[in-house]
Every structure is written in structure tokens, then in C-alpha cells.
Amino acid sequence: MKFADLHLHTLFSDGTFTPEELVLNAQNKGLACIALTDHDTVEGCARAAAACAKVGMEFIVGTELTAEHSDVEVHILGYLLDLQNQTLLDGIAKFQSVRQSRIYKMAEKLNQLGIPLKPESVFELANCRSPGRPHVARALVKEKLVGTLDEAFELYLKKGRPAWVPKAKMSALEAIELIHQAGGLAVMAHPGLNRSDEIIPALVLAGMDGIECFHTKHSTAMAEHYLEIADFHHLLITGGSDCHGFSKNKPLIGTVKLPYGHVERLMTAKKIADERRAAAK
Ligand code: AMP
Ligand code: FE
Ligand code: FE
Ligand code: ZN
């Protein structure tokens, strides 16, 4: 049996692996195919693709866009995107700059609380275009301003805590369109984590292609629930570990094993969508 892990992060967002380390770990887990889905970026994809090609592993270009619909935060995975698509790159760049200005705001709030964290030390540590709260937490630990990452979130960064800054998000419909116009497929990430069942029909109507039924934080019952929803709406089924390297716990890569048949269905859907677009021109 061949398996895939279609939800993975690197240090191009909030993971700790380089693309090359990620591929090495995937190889050790015996995966046949991986997708890189860093938050609001596709920067790591070229290197991951090259590393996969070297070892004969299949690679799927991806990203995980932070979006919202009816005040519910929802993460939309984009797969099989055209990395040269300028509208996609511009759309992503806008939300990367939102992420960067949010770092300044969080540092300012921390400073007001008497925590002398400089935004520059967060950017230096993050060293990517998609910095977020995990990088602020790591910088706080590194500067010995808190003891642990958990403490950073509990004391300051969690929603409602004093250094929390809300993040402007694109609308889920906008995210789906951004992915589609770049030739990609749009998939709702970890629906079980976002209490997003009620928004699924609206996103299906907007052309969403699939849902992530298998995820580290989905119980077996949850996975079955989403498989039924996928069946009902004729959606593609995906799955992945949401591995962040060592940034949250031990590397999760390969703990969710998506049967390869789902990858084949993803490829077929992409081919059909491409042919439709070509015919519509
Ligand atoms: P951001 O996109 O900047 O809001 O950060 C979201 C990231 O922070 C996600 O990868 C979350 O998994 C992570 N995160 C959120 N809450 C916590 C927490 N309490 N402890 C550790 N990581 C967290
Ligand atoms: Fe993350
Ligand atoms: Fe997510
Ligand atoms: Zn993720």
C-alpha cells in the first residue's frame, strides 16, 4: 500500500524542519507522496519539490490560507497550484504583510506590559515572510522572558490574553477563488478543529473541492463524520498530520497515512478542472 501525508509545515512558516529535512523524514516514514502546506506562503515548495525529485518521492505544491466565513476562522488548503501565478503571489503577499505588522503590534503590547521584546528579534528568529504567534513565543523563550512556549501562549498570546492581536484574514470565498484562479484545488483543513460544519454548504456552493477528513486531531468518529459529509457533497477527501517539526511536540509526519487512492482522485480532479478552464477560454 502507498500512503501520503498532505498537511505539513516547514520553517517557511511555523514548522522547524527545512524542506530537505521534511523530505528526509517523509522518506524514513515510507511515504509515497507529500504536500507542503505552510501558512499563507508557497516559498518552501520549490526546495521541497527538488528534494522529493532527488529521492523519487511524489510532491504536491500546497499552502494553508488563514481565512474566515461568518466569523468562523477556517483554514483553506490549496493544492496543485501554479507557483508562478502572479495573482496568487500578490494575494499571499498581502496577508504576509498583515502577519508582519501584527508582530510589531504584539511586541508593542508586550512592551507596554514591561516585557522588553523587540520585534526585530522575532523577525530574525522567524526568518520567513509568514511570521506568527509561534515565532513570538519562541523569541520570548529564547530571550528568557518566559519559561516555555506554553507559558508564552497562556500568559500573553492566546486569544483574550493581553498581547493577543487579532489577525485580519481573507474571506474563505476569496481564498477558494484565489486557489482556483491559480489552477489549484481548495480543501477545508481540519474541520473538526474549527467547529465549521455549518459553513460547509456555503463553501461547497462557492466551489470548494474537498475536506480534510483525516487529521492528527480528528478522532476516528470525527473522521467518519467528515467522510459522510464528503460523500454527501461529493467532495474530495484528504488527510495529513499537520506536522510542525519540533515546534509543538515530536514530529507528527507520517502519523496520518492517507491511502494513495485519494491522491489519484485529487490528480484527476485537477486534470478535469484544467480541461474545463481551457475549454472556457
Ligand atoms: P497565528 O497564525 O500567528 O495566529 O498562530 C497560530 C499558530 O499558533 C498555529 O500554528 C497554532 O497551532 C499555534 N498555537 C495557537 N495556540 C497555541 C498554544 N496555546 N500553544 C502553542 N501553539 C499554539
Ligand atoms: Fe501552524
Ligand atoms: Fe491549520
Ligand atoms: Zn497546518
Side-chain angles (χ1 to χ4, degrees):
M1 277 285 272
K2 278 164 72 175
F3 293 101
D5 186 336
L6 301 185
H7 192 152
L8 299 163
H9 296 270
T10 65
L11 39 70
F12 282 97
S13 67
D14 55 353
T16 62
F17 288 144
T18 62
E20 292 76 19
E21 286 165 348
L22 186 76
V23 173
L24 189 66
N25 277 272
Q27 208 188 0
N28 290 341
K29 297 288 176 187
L31 293 167
C33 171
I34 60 165
L36 179 58
T37 55
D38 273 317
H39 300 283
D40 301 320
T41 189
V42 289
E43 271 177 286
C45 285
R47 271 172 61 183
C52 278
K54 254 190 199 163
V55 299
M57 190 183 300
E58 192 173 350
F59 179 70
I60 292 179
V61 166
T63 185
E64 180 176 16
L65 302 179
T66 315
E68 67 186 339
H69 187 83
S70 308
D71 287 329
V72 180
E73 175 162 335
V74 52
H75 294 179
I76 305 287
L77 297 160
Y79 289 120
L80 298 163
L81 306 147
D82 171 10
L83 288 180
Q84 313 299 327
N85 182 275
Q86 199 54 46
T87 307
L88 174 72
L89 298 177
D90 291 347
I92 281 179
K94 191 169 119 197
F95 285 91
Q96 289 172 345
S97 91
V98 166
R99 280 178 169 277
Q100 289 159 20
S101 38
R102 182 167 168 250
I103 300 294
Y104 286 105
K105 287 183 198 146
M106 285 193 277
E108 196 182 307
K109 286 198 165 193
L110 286 163
N111 295 167
Q112 282 163 4
L113 294 163
I115 318 291
L117 184 76
K118 292 193 189 74
E120 291 73 26
S121 62
V122 180
F123 291 122
E124 194 182 316
L125 180 147
N127 192 27
C128 71
R129 293 183 198 157
S130 251
R133 283 180 292 162
H135 299 110
V136 177
R138 274 188 240 161
L140 284 167
V141 172
K142 194 176 169 206
E143 312 262 316
K144 298 198 166 52
L145 296 167
V146 297
T148 64
L149 295 175
D150 270 347
E151 211 179 299
F153 274 93
E154 289 306 319
L155 291 176
Y156 306 115
L157 302 172
K158 249 171 74 165
K159 185 171 180 177
R161 292 285 184 261
W164 176 69
V165 176
K167 187 170 57 183
K169 306 170 191 81
M170 71 177 90
S171 86
L173 305 189
E174 200 184 333
I176 292 169
E177 175 52 26
L178 195 60
I179 291 164
H180 281 167
Q181 67 77 40
L185 296 169
V187 173
M188 183 186 270
H190 45 65
L193 263 67
N194 301 65
R195 283 183 243 98
S196 39
D197 282 27
E198 65 271 27
I199 70 172
I200 290 175
L203 301 196
V204 171
L205 209 60
M208 186 172 72
D209 304 281
I211 49 174
E212 187 175 54
C213 296
F214 305 105
H215 183 273
T216 312
K217 290 191 175 153
H218 282 182
S219 64
T220 308
M222 247 184 223
E224 277 165 11
H225 169 70
Y226 289 110
L227 286 169
E228 276 172 23
I229 290 181
D231 186 47
F232 180 81
H233 290 292
H234 305 291
L235 294 170
L236 293 163
I237 292 159
T238 72
S241 62
D242 211 349
C243 175
H244 284 73
F246 290 97
S247 74
K248 287 183 187 166
N249 28 38
K250 67 177 177 4
L252 296 168
I253 183 166
T255 54
V256 171
K257 287 187 145 105
L258 183 74
Y260 192 74
H262 294 300
V263 175
E264 289 173 335
R265 283 186 271 279
L266 208 65
M267 297 297 183
T268 305
K270 156 80 173 160
K271 202 164 151 246
I272 292 169
D274 282 349
E275 281 166 7
R276 279 214 184 110
R277 265 188 294 269
K281 266 186 193 160

